[in-house]
Amino acid sequence: MRLNGSKRNRINSEERRSAGANLLLAAKKAGNLLLDLLYPPRCPICDRILNRKEGRCCAKCEKKLPWIAGPTCMKCGKMIDREEDEYCEDCGKYAHAFTRGAAAFAYTGALRHSVYRMKAENRRDYLDFYADAMTQALETYLVRWQPERIIGVPMHWQKKWKRGYNQSELLAKKIAKRTGIQMEDAWVYCCKKTKAQKLLGRKERERNLKGCFALKQEKKRFRSVLIVDDIYTTGSTIDELAGLLKTVGVEQVYFVVLCIGKGVGKGEKRVCTGKNVCYTKSESEYFRGSSRY
């Protein structure tokens, strides 16, 4: 059967596009292989070079990951001593602007060092591991929360320029890709350069953050929003941003973080150690092999 000229040209064009796509794919694979040779992937916890059979975290560190497990605060997601307490000490004493939150890990030990390296040493290669863990932490909540948009906590432009990136924004983009929630990256910005939070008390943090966020597009309206950040301690940052979002009609403000401080119930303060089974999830095979997302 003979083909007319237009049909033959169309087939040839499709074949060329297909060949071009295959060539680009092969080039991408070769490029990734070269990058792995020059900059081999490392464990985000111990920083050891990973072998091909390991996923984003080495097998030894995977067994010691301080996963959030057991009773957690029904507001912020911190681990508490007893389930009947419902709320951690902070959430029992202070009202929050956000609706509810979740975290992947307790902010302790090796995770502290990992986050420090990520921020201070430009270890953006850790972010895929972080995003996988945070996405896993969200799995049990997303059906109930159903956020319409996802945003990263904004960073002041001078701080972002100095560091070179906003880790919360990058994490939000990765989690948006993994969950299918639409990213809203041009809605809120940081309009005030604040002091470092780590040495400030609760009241000082609140004063430090007061008025530091503003809206670029006030006319945008969403019913529910998911905020992404790396660390939660007192919740001052999330509260300040949630309060702003509620002024433009957002009804439900949720958050997810990589690490969260330890909660306190009516019992003794829970301690993070490698021997405490509440802080480990060694049965998980999540980080071995390729990611699910």
Side-chain angles (χ1 to χ4, degrees):
M1 182 178 66
R2 292 187 177 182
L3 299 175
N4 59 43
S6 61
K7 190 171 183 179
R8 184 166 52 249
N9 290 338
R10 187 173 68 251
I11 292 173
N12 290 338
S13 178
E14 289 175 354
E15 288 176 347
R16 285 195 296 270
R17 282 199 298 269
S18 178
N22 291 334
L23 185 61
L24 285 174
L25 183 61
K28 185 177 180 181
K29 288 181 178 179
N32 289 336
L33 181 60
L34 181 60
L35 282 174
D36 284 346
L37 291 173
L38 294 174
Y39 306 101
R42 290 178 175 271
C43 174
I45 307 302
C46 67
D47 207 39
R48 180 180 63 79
I49 293 176
L50 296 169
N51 63 49
R52 292 184 178 182
K53 293 182 180 180
E54 294 173 316
R56 303 198 192 278
C57 176
C58 76
K60 184 177 180 181
C61 289
E62 196 266 348
K63 293 178 180 179
K64 298 179 181 179
L65 289 173
W67 287 97
I68 296 297
T72 57
C73 175
M74 294 180 65
K75 190 71 174 178
C76 71
K78 288 181 181 178
M79 288 191 291
I80 55 178
D81 193 47
R82 302 183 305 177
E83 195 163 355
E84 55 266 32
D85 290 339
E86 294 187 354
Y87 300 105
C88 67
E89 187 176 58
D90 280 350
C91 293
K93 288 182 179 179
Y94 306 102
H96 289 292
F98 62 79
T99 306
R100 193 166 181 181
F105 302 120
Y107 188 46
T108 184
L111 259 298
R112 285 178 180 266
H113 298 299
S114 177
V115 172
Y116 174 80
R117 290 196 304 273
M118 180 270 292
K119 292 181 176 180
E121 300 175 9
N122 194 15
R123 298 305 301 272
R124 278 178 273 187
D125 52 309
Y126 292 174
L127 293 178
D128 279 318
F129 166 81
Y130 293 168
D132 281 352
M134 294 165 74
T135 302
Q136 183 178 358
L138 279 171
E139 283 182 346
T140 58
Y141 298 102
L142 285 183
V143 174
R144 283 175 283 164
W145 294 357
Q146 296 186 340
E148 296 175 1
R149 292 293 188 276
I150 184 170
I151 63 172
V153 172
M155 180 184 288
H156 191 267
W157 71 268
Q158 290 182 350
K159 187 175 181 180
K160 184 177 180 180
W161 177 81
K162 185 177 180 180
R163 181 174 293 169
Y165 59 97
N166 176 0
Q167 71 278 355
S168 299
E169 182 182 82
L170 295 179
L171 283 169
K173 288 180 179 180
K174 291 178 181 296
I175 294 172
K177 185 176 180 180
R178 287 159 169 77
T179 61
I181 304 170
Q182 187 172 331
M183 175 80 176
E184 197 67 39
D185 57 357
W187 188 26
V188 185
Y189 70 101
C190 182
C191 58
K192 170 185 169 184
K193 190 176 181 181
T194 57
K195 299 176 184 177
Q197 293 277 88
K198 59 184 179 181
L199 298 178
L200 303 179
R202 174 179 288 276
K203 292 298 180 183
E204 291 174 309
R205 289 181 181 220
E206 291 174 358
R207 287 193 293 268
N208 185 43
L209 292 167
K210 190 70 176 176
C212 73
F213 300 123
L215 291 160
K216 289 182 180 179
Q217 303 175 45
E218 295 188 11
K219 292 184 179 180
K220 287 197 173 185
R221 295 288 187 271
F222 305 110
R223 181 187 58 81
S224 59
V225 172
L226 176 67
I227 297 172
V228 174
D229 205 2
D230 54 350
I231 302 167
Y232 178 108
T233 48
T234 65
S236 300
T237 302
I238 303 293
D239 274 330
E240 183 66 24
L241 184 50
L244 174 66
L245 296 179
K246 287 193 170 183
T247 65
V248 291
V250 179
E251 297 175 13
Q252 307 294 331
V253 181
Y254 304 100
F255 74 82
V256 63
V257 292
L258 175 70
C259 300
I260 196 165
K262 293 172 287 187
V264 180
K266 294 180 181 178
E268 296 180 355
K269 189 172 183 179
R270 300 182 79 179
V271 179
C272 274
T273 67
K275 296 179 181 179
N276 188 338
V277 293
C278 292
Y279 285 85
T280 63
K281 208 171 186 180
S282 59
E283 71 277 11
S284 172
E285 298 292 326
Y286 182 78
F287 291 106
R288 293 203 180 100
S290 60
S291 171
R292 289 183 293 177
Y293 298 95

